Amino acid sequence: MKVLVTGGAGFIGSHLVRLLQAEGEQVAVVDNFTTGLRENLPSGTEVHECDVTGEALGDIFAEGHFDAVVHLAGQTTVHVSMADPELDGTQNVVGSIHVLEQARRYGVQRVIFASTAASYGDVAEDHLPIDEFEPLAPLSFYGLSKVTVEHYLDLYHKAYGLDYVVLRFANVYGERQGNGGEGGVISIFARRIAEGKDITIYGDGGQTRDFIYAGDIARGIDAALRTEHTNRAYNLSTQTETSLKELVAVFGKVAGKKIAPKFEEARKGDIYQSLLANGRARRSLGWGPQTSLEEGLRRTYEYFCAAPRG
């Protein structure tokens, strides 16, 4: 199978590329290197420096003869989307349509799309964990952009027969993560703790997230590339709720030090509680998370301890 990974030099993409290469698949990467890094990728990886909104993308598809596309590229930060909805819409909606057009024109069989828990918005506690039948009601432009692309995927399938799988990620974290994205709180905390600096929680610390390790996400994407159960959405999650205060406690255990966070006002667009059900992915993808939060945080913290300062 020949697979194109957009945003493949980002931290999720770098986990996925390694997994696919280990399985003997042909992998090509498209990345504009706004946040992704070449050094995130194994040497010898086929890399095209290109924005998903750029005209050169068509040439890459024409020459690549890809069987499948994993679309990870995009703007991934809630507060950036609230500050600049136009940027978010251009990168996430227009860029995704451009990817779908190339996929349609050049015979791609399947598109895997990285969606988000933010698609659901702030769901009542008695509806947790959230399953895929929960109405989509995003609170941020980031979440709205992802929901919009999900609708485009469904219509591309109906109009052109392009198969897809939507994966709604919980809060992803792991090695090589930048400061952006929904799971970015972990990379921010890990980097600052490794450097002996203070950390800040926006809100009261009781807000919860479903934190999932990037290696488990890569395995879920791999399963989506191979499943017969296409043209539907799946949550990829641990189905475990962790508050930010609890997260800090686990970090303290991993780092072997007591951590006293500062607290500031919550940011607009942030969801208070998030917990995704993963039963559908377990049943239809044959997938389940394998990495505990403590083990995933240990790997992430050790990565930032070893990373160059600056």
Side-chain angles (χ1 to χ4, degrees):
M1 178 166 42
K2 190 165 187 183
V3 183
L4 178 68
V5 182
T6 71
F11 93 104
I12 295 176
S14 69
H15 282 262
L16 176 64
V17 167
R18 283 169 169 77
L19 176 60
L20 293 177
Q21 288 176 340
E23 293 179 340
E25 308 295 358
Q26 292 180 271
V27 185
V29 167
V30 162
D31 205 295
N32 66 4
F33 297 104
T34 300
T35 56
L37 299 170
R38 288 185 184 274
E39 52 264 38
N40 284 349
L41 294 168
S43 61
T45 302
E46 180 184 338
V47 180
H48 303 272
E49 185 169 356
C50 176
D51 194 280
V52 292
T53 62
E55 292 183 8
L57 191 67
D59 295 332
I60 295 167
F61 272 81
E63 296 168 7
H65 306 289
F66 303 111
D67 300 303
V69 174
V70 179
H71 183 35
L72 301 174
Q75 196 292 116
T76 63
T77 308
V78 167
H79 70 268
V80 169
S81 80
M82 300 304 290
D84 195 344
E86 185 175 9
L87 169 68
D88 186 80
T90 299
Q91 291 296 312
N92 290 354
V93 180
V94 176
S96 296
I97 295 170
H98 198 209
V99 169
L100 292 177
E101 270 297 280
Q102 311 320 309
R104 173 178 76 88
R105 290 171 180 168
Y106 296 106
V108 171
Q109 298 169 25
R110 182 176 302 187
V111 175
I112 311 300
F113 176 60
S115 191
T116 173
S119 298
Y120 296 112
D122 218 348
V123 176
E125 187 173 355
D126 61 359
H127 281 221
L128 299 177
I130 304 165
D131 65 27
E132 292 84 352
F133 298 102
E134 185 72 26
L136 303 179
L139 297 179
S140 65
F141 293 110
Y142 168 69
L144 179 60
S145 69
K146 293 292 189 177
V147 170
T148 301
V149 176
E150 289 193 25
H151 288 303
Y152 268 93
L153 284 160
D154 186 57
L155 193 51
Y156 262 80
H157 170 66
K158 291 174 180 174
Y160 306 121
L162 178 61
D163 285 340
Y164 69 89
V165 178
V166 167
L167 299 176
R168 296 176 186 148
F169 299 160
N171 296 83
V172 191
Y173 71 94
E175 304 96 316
R176 300 180 292 279
Q177 185 176 21
N179 287 340
E182 298 168 81
V185 63
I186 286 183
S187 67
I188 293 169
F189 284 4
R191 180 181 285 106
R192 292 188 66 84
I193 294 167
E195 295 175 352
K197 297 178 180 178
D198 293 334
I199 60 172
T200 300
I201 290 176
Y202 293 93
D204 60 12
Q207 60 267 49
T208 63
R209 294 293 182 267
D210 186 336
F211 293 109
I212 183 163
Y213 179 63
D216 286 332
I217 289 290
R219 291 177 42 256
I221 295 170
D222 185 48
L225 284 166
R226 304 174 196 284
T227 186
E228 297 178 357
H229 305 289
T230 57
N231 308 313
R232 63 183 70 174
Y234 297 93
N235 294 334
L236 294 187
S237 70
T238 63
Q239 200 169 314
T240 301
E241 196 172 10
T242 303
S243 74
L244 294 189
K245 287 181 179 178
E246 290 169 335
L247 177 68
V248 170
V250 179
F251 256 126
K253 184 177 180 181
V254 166
K257 62 178 75 173
K258 186 174 181 180
I259 302 168
K262 297 178 180 179
F263 292 86
E264 292 189 7
E265 185 178 353
R267 297 178 297 198
K268 291 182 179 179
D270 280 349
I271 296 167
Y272 194 77
Q273 284 185 295
S274 183
L275 176 64
L276 300 187
N278 60 24
R280 176 186 272 191
R282 289 181 180 275
R283 292 188 300 271
S284 295
L285 299 183
W287 170 91
Q290 295 181 348
T291 309
S292 69
L293 180 61
E294 184 174 338
E295 173 60 20
L297 290 186
R298 182 189 63 77
R299 296 178 190 177
T300 306
Y301 176 69
E302 289 178 355
Y303 168 80
F304 283 108
C305 284
R309 299 288 189 261

